Each structure stands twice: as C-alpha cells, then as structure tokens.
Amino acid sequence: LGEEGFSRLQQARVAVFGVGGVGGYVCEALVRSGAEHLDVFDRDDVSESNLNRQIIALHSTLGQDKVSVMAARLRDIEPEAEIGCRRMFYLPENADSVDLRQYDYVIDAVDTVAAKIELAVRCDALGVPLIAAMGAGNKLDPSRLQIADVYKTSVCPLARAMRTALRKQGVKHLTVAYSTEEPVRPAIVTDAEDGRRKDIPASMAFVPAAMGLLIASHVVRQI
C-alpha cells in the first residue's frame, strides 16, 4: 500500500452494516489490513445455525450479541483498534439515528432489502462511498464473484430487485459484489400448515467468506 496509503487506511472511518457471513469477513480483513476505526451494526445474537459460515460463530460465542463478539475479536487482532458497536437493525424507521457523513466508506452486508435501499439512497445523496453485498445464499462457487455497478449485473435476483428499486429512487450508480452463478435450488421444506413449498436460503462456508474478502479488498484499494 505504501506509507501514505497505509496511513490513509489507518485513519479512515468505516461502517459495516451486518456482521454475519459476509460482514464478519469484511471486518476481519479490514482490521488485519490496518484499518483501525470501524463501527459495526447488527442486532442479532450468534446462533447455532451460524456455525457453518460466520467467522464469529463458535460454540463459545453462542447466544452472545454479534457486534460485541466481533468487536472483541477485532481488538484481539489489533488492541489499538477503535471499534464502535451499534446493536441495531438499520431500517428506514431508524436511519436518522446514524450520521453516514462521518464515514469514509460504508459497507452494506445486511439481508433486508429495505435497509439496502435506504443505505444506497442516503449514501448517494451524501456522496459517501458505498459497496453493497448482493446474494451469497444458494451459491457454491466463489470463483463466480465479481464487483460491478448494480446496473451492469446479471443473474443475481437480489441485484435485479435493487436495480428496479433504485431506478425509482433516482439512484444511478451503486457498486456491488455479486455472483454470476445461477442460484442452487435448496432442499424442499413443506409448510405443515398449508402444504405449500417453502424454500429456505442455504449457505456454505466459502461463498459468503469470499464475498467478504472481495469487498474488503475493494474498500482497502479505494481508500
């Protein structure tokens, strides 16, 4: 990175929304690369279903809130790191409580479409750099991951939905990490009440992790 580039990374303030399968690896890679000022946003607790793919999910952390576990891990990597914990799900209803102008970069690794759209609209209006994770579930091949403008993506159903919503909001650009792999059809789960097919999105360890590392690489290089 060079001395000047590394200094910029150390001083940059970055927000990571969602510290699950993708976001956890983003945080890990940023701090291991030299970033020292992160704010992490999530309201979930670590659960047993997270053990197959989330870097903070261990039997020793089950039941603990994710942002606290993430912050403790990051400080264990770099004791001087300043990690802000915000135990919240970012949504349009509470978006005003977060001042996005303070950040040099914002990373969207949340699952909720409404939150993703809100972050995109607000960052676009403020001129704050943002990269958003698209769908990592139901994918098996990490080599199919790419970074592109959301309007130049293909295959990904979430990216398609984001394009439609952002076009209506007048947002003309959004950098995203996405997969060109066709989603794998998950196992069939039958709803006992009405007998209808109910698909549960599935994840393996490698695609969310690879997406998180790809996003972190992009952010470090941009900073």
Side-chain angles (χ1 to χ4, degrees), residues 117-155:
I117 294 168
E118 189 71 19
L119 279 169
V121 170
R122 287 180 179 250
C123 284
D124 181 68
L126 295 169
V128 175
L130 166 70
I131 183 168
M134 296 293 99
N138 295 340
K139 306 290 174 67
L140 294 169
D141 186 357
S143 72
R144 303 291 293 275
L145 294 169
Q146 297 183 15
I147 290 177
D149 190 285
V150 71
Y151 291 105
K152 296 181 179 179
T153 59
S154 60
V155 180

Coordinates of all heavy atoms in Angstrom, one line a residue, residues 117-155:
I117 N -31.7 -0.5 0.3 CA -32.2 0.6 -0.5 C -32.0 1.9 0.3 O -31.5 2.9 -0.3 CB -33.7 0.4 -0.9 CG1 -33.8 -0.8 -1.8 CG2 -34.2 1.7 -1.5 CD1 -35.2 -1.2 -2.0
E118 N -32.3 1.9 1.6 CA -32.1 3.1 2.4 C -30.7 3.6 2.4 O -30.4 4.7 2.3 CB -32.7 2.9 3.8 CG -32.8 4.1 4.7 CD -33.9 5.0 4.3 OE1 -34.8 4.6 3.6 OE2 -33.8 6.2 4.7
L119 N -29.8 2.6 2.6 CA -28.4 2.9 2.7 C -27.9 3.5 1.3 O -27.2 4.5 1.2 CB -27.5 1.7 3.0 CG -27.4 1.3 4.5 CD1 -26.8 0.0 4.7 CD2 -26.6 2.4 5.3
A120 N -28.4 2.8 0.2 CA -28.0 3.3 -1.1 C -28.4 4.7 -1.4 O -27.7 5.5 -1.9 CB -28.5 2.3 -2.1
V121 N -29.7 5.0 -1.1 CA -30.3 6.3 -1.3 C -29.6 7.4 -0.5 O -29.2 8.4 -1.0 CB -31.8 6.3 -1.0 CG1 -32.4 7.7 -1.1 CG2 -32.5 5.4 -2.0
R122 N -29.3 7.1 0.8 CA -28.7 8.1 1.6 C -27.3 8.3 1.3 O -26.8 9.5 1.3 CB -28.9 7.7 3.1 CG -30.3 7.9 3.6 CD -30.5 7.5 5.1 NE -31.8 7.7 5.5 CZ -32.2 8.6 6.4 NH1 -31.3 9.4 6.9 NH2 -33.5 8.7 6.7
C123 N -26.5 7.3 1.0 CA -25.1 7.4 0.7 C -25.0 8.2 -0.7 O -24.1 9.0 -0.8 CB -24.4 6.1 0.6 SG -24.0 5.4 2.2
D124 N -25.8 7.9 -1.6 CA -25.8 8.6 -2.9 C -26.1 10.0 -2.7 O -25.4 10.9 -3.3 CB -26.9 7.9 -3.8 CG -26.9 8.6 -5.2 OD1 -25.9 8.4 -5.9 OD2 -27.9 9.3 -5.5
A125 N -27.0 10.4 -1.9 CA -27.4 11.8 -1.6 C -26.2 12.6 -0.9 O -26.0 13.8 -1.2 CB -28.6 11.9 -0.8
L126 N -25.5 11.8 -0.1 CA -24.4 12.5 0.7 C -23.1 12.4 0.0 O -22.1 13.0 0.5 CB -24.3 11.8 2.1 CG -25.5 12.0 3.0 CD1 -25.4 11.0 4.2 CD2 -25.7 13.4 3.5
G127 N -23.0 11.6 -1.0 CA -21.7 11.4 -1.7 C -20.7 10.6 -0.9 O -19.5 10.7 -1.0
V128 N -21.3 9.7 -0.1 CA -20.4 8.8 0.7 C -20.2 7.4 0.0 O -21.2 6.8 -0.5 CB -21.1 8.5 2.1 CG1 -20.3 7.4 2.9 CG2 -21.3 9.7 2.9
P129 N -19.0 7.0 -0.2 CA -18.7 5.8 -0.9 C -19.4 4.6 -0.3 O -19.3 4.4 1.0 CB -17.2 5.6 -0.9 CG -16.7 7.0 -0.7 CD -17.7 7.7 0.2
L130 N -20.0 3.7 -1.0 CA -20.8 2.6 -0.5 C -20.5 1.4 -1.4 O -20.5 1.5 -2.7 CB -22.3 2.9 -0.5 CG -23.2 1.7 -0.3 CD1 -23.1 1.2 1.1 CD2 -24.7 2.1 -0.6
I131 N -20.4 0.2 -0.9 CA -20.4 -1.0 -1.6 C -21.4 -2.0 -0.9 O -21.4 -2.0 0.3 CB -19.0 -1.7 -1.7 CG1 -19.1 -3.0 -2.6 CG2 -18.4 -2.0 -0.4 CD1 -17.8 -3.5 -3.0
A132 N -22.2 -2.6 -1.7 CA -23.3 -3.5 -1.2 C -23.1 -4.9 -1.6 O -22.8 -5.2 -2.7 CB -24.7 -3.0 -1.6
A133 N -23.3 -5.8 -0.6 CA -23.3 -7.3 -0.9 C -24.6 -7.7 -1.5 O -25.7 -7.4 -0.9 CB -23.0 -8.0 0.3
M134 N -24.6 -8.4 -2.6 CA -25.8 -9.0 -3.2 C -25.9 -10.4 -2.7 O -25.2 -10.8 -1.7 CB -25.7 -8.9 -4.7 CG -25.8 -7.5 -5.2 SD -27.3 -6.5 -5.0 CE -26.9 -5.5 -3.5
G135 N -26.7 -11.2 -3.3 CA -27.0 -12.5 -2.7 C -25.8 -13.5 -2.7 O -25.2 -13.8 -3.7
A136 N -25.5 -14.0 -1.5 CA -24.5 -15.0 -1.3 C -25.1 -16.4 -1.0 O -24.4 -17.4 -1.0 CB -23.4 -14.6 -0.3
G137 N -26.4 -16.4 -0.7 CA -27.0 -17.6 -0.4 C -27.3 -18.5 -1.6 O -27.4 -17.9 -2.7
N138 N -27.5 -19.8 -1.4 CA -27.8 -20.7 -2.5 C -26.7 -20.7 -3.6 O -27.0 -20.9 -4.8 CB -29.2 -20.4 -3.2 CG -30.3 -20.6 -2.2 OD1 -30.1 -21.3 -1.2 ND2 -31.4 -20.0 -2.4
K139 N -25.5 -20.4 -3.3 CA -24.4 -20.4 -4.2 C -23.3 -21.3 -3.7 O -23.1 -21.5 -2.5 CB -23.8 -18.9 -4.3 CG -24.8 -17.9 -4.7 CD -25.3 -18.0 -6.1 CE -26.5 -17.1 -6.4 NZ -26.0 -15.7 -6.5
L140 N -22.5 -21.9 -4.6 CA -21.5 -22.9 -4.3 C -20.1 -22.5 -4.8 O -19.1 -23.1 -4.3 CB -21.9 -24.3 -4.8 CG -23.1 -24.9 -4.1 CD1 -23.5 -26.1 -4.9 CD2 -22.8 -25.2 -2.7
D141 N -20.0 -21.6 -5.8 CA -18.7 -21.4 -6.5 C -18.2 -20.0 -6.2 O -18.7 -19.0 -6.9 CB -19.0 -21.6 -8.0 CG -17.7 -21.5 -8.8 OD1 -16.6 -21.2 -8.2 OD2 -17.8 -21.7 -10.0
P142 N -17.2 -19.8 -5.3 CA -16.7 -18.5 -5.0 C -16.0 -17.8 -6.2 O -15.8 -16.6 -6.2 CB -15.8 -18.7 -3.8 CG -15.4 -20.1 -3.9 CD -16.6 -20.8 -4.5
S143 N -15.6 -18.6 -7.2 CA -14.8 -18.0 -8.3 C -15.8 -17.2 -9.2 O -15.3 -16.5 -10.1 CB -14.2 -19.1 -9.1 OG -15.1 -19.9 -9.9
R144 N -17.1 -17.3 -9.0 CA -18.0 -16.6 -9.8 C -18.4 -15.2 -9.3 O -19.2 -14.5 -9.8 CB -19.3 -17.4 -10.0 CG -19.1 -18.8 -10.6 CD -18.7 -18.7 -12.0 NE -19.8 -18.2 -12.9 CZ -20.8 -19.0 -13.4 NH1 -20.9 -20.3 -13.1 NH2 -21.7 -18.4 -14.1
L145 N -17.7 -14.8 -8.2 CA -17.9 -13.5 -7.6 C -17.3 -12.3 -8.4 O -16.2 -12.5 -8.9 CB -17.5 -13.5 -6.2 CG -18.2 -14.4 -5.2 CD1 -17.5 -14.5 -3.9 CD2 -19.6 -13.9 -5.0
Q146 N -18.0 -11.2 -8.5 CA -17.4 -10.0 -9.2 C -17.9 -8.8 -8.5 O -18.8 -8.8 -7.7 CB -18.0 -10.0 -10.6 CG -17.6 -11.1 -11.5 CD -18.1 -10.9 -12.9 OE1 -18.5 -9.9 -13.3 NE2 -18.0 -12.0 -13.7
I147 N -17.2 -7.7 -8.8 CA -17.6 -6.3 -8.3 C -18.0 -5.6 -9.6 O -17.2 -5.6 -10.6 CB -16.5 -5.6 -7.5 CG1 -16.3 -6.3 -6.2 CG2 -16.8 -4.1 -7.4 CD1 -15.2 -5.8 -5.3
A148 N -19.1 -4.9 -9.5 CA -19.6 -4.2 -10.7 C -20.6 -3.1 -10.2 O -21.1 -3.1 -9.1 CB -20.2 -5.1 -11.7
D149 N -21.0 -2.3 -11.1 CA -22.2 -1.4 -10.9 C -23.4 -2.3 -10.9 O -23.5 -3.2 -11.8 CB -22.3 -0.3 -11.9 CG -23.3 0.8 -11.5 OD1 -24.5 0.5 -11.7 OD2 -22.9 1.8 -11.1
V150 N -24.4 -2.0 -10.0 CA -25.6 -2.8 -10.0 C -26.3 -2.9 -11.3 O -27.0 -3.9 -11.6 CB -26.5 -2.4 -8.8 CG1 -27.2 -1.0 -9.1 CG2 -27.5 -3.4 -8.5
Y151 N -26.2 -1.8 -12.1 CA -26.9 -1.7 -13.4 C -26.2 -2.6 -14.5 O -26.8 -2.7 -15.6 CB -27.1 -0.3 -13.8 CG -28.0 0.5 -12.9 CD1 -27.5 1.4 -12.0 CD2 -29.4 0.3 -13.0 CE1 -28.4 2.1 -11.2 CE2 -30.3 1.0 -12.2 CZ -29.8 1.9 -11.3 OH -30.7 2.6 -10.5
K152 N -25.0 -3.1 -14.1 CA -24.3 -3.9 -15.1 C -24.3 -5.4 -14.7 O -23.5 -6.2 -15.2 CB -22.9 -3.4 -15.3 CG -22.9 -2.0 -16.0 CD -21.5 -1.5 -16.2 CE -21.6 -0.1 -16.9 NZ -20.2 0.4 -17.1
T153 N -25.0 -5.8 -13.6 CA -25.0 -7.1 -13.1 C -26.0 -8.0 -13.9 O -26.9 -7.5 -14.6 CB -25.4 -7.2 -11.6 OG1 -26.7 -6.6 -11.5 CG2 -24.4 -6.4 -10.8
S154 N -25.8 -9.3 -13.7 CA -26.7 -10.3 -14.4 C -26.9 -11.4 -13.4 O -26.2 -11.6 -12.4 CB -26.2 -10.8 -15.7 OG -24.9 -11.4 -15.4
V155 N -27.9 -12.2 -13.7 CA -28.2 -13.5 -12.9 C -28.8 -13.3 -11.5 O -29.8 -13.8 -11.2 CB -27.0 -14.4 -12.9 CG1 -27.3 -15.7 -12.1 CG2 -26.4 -14.7 -14.2

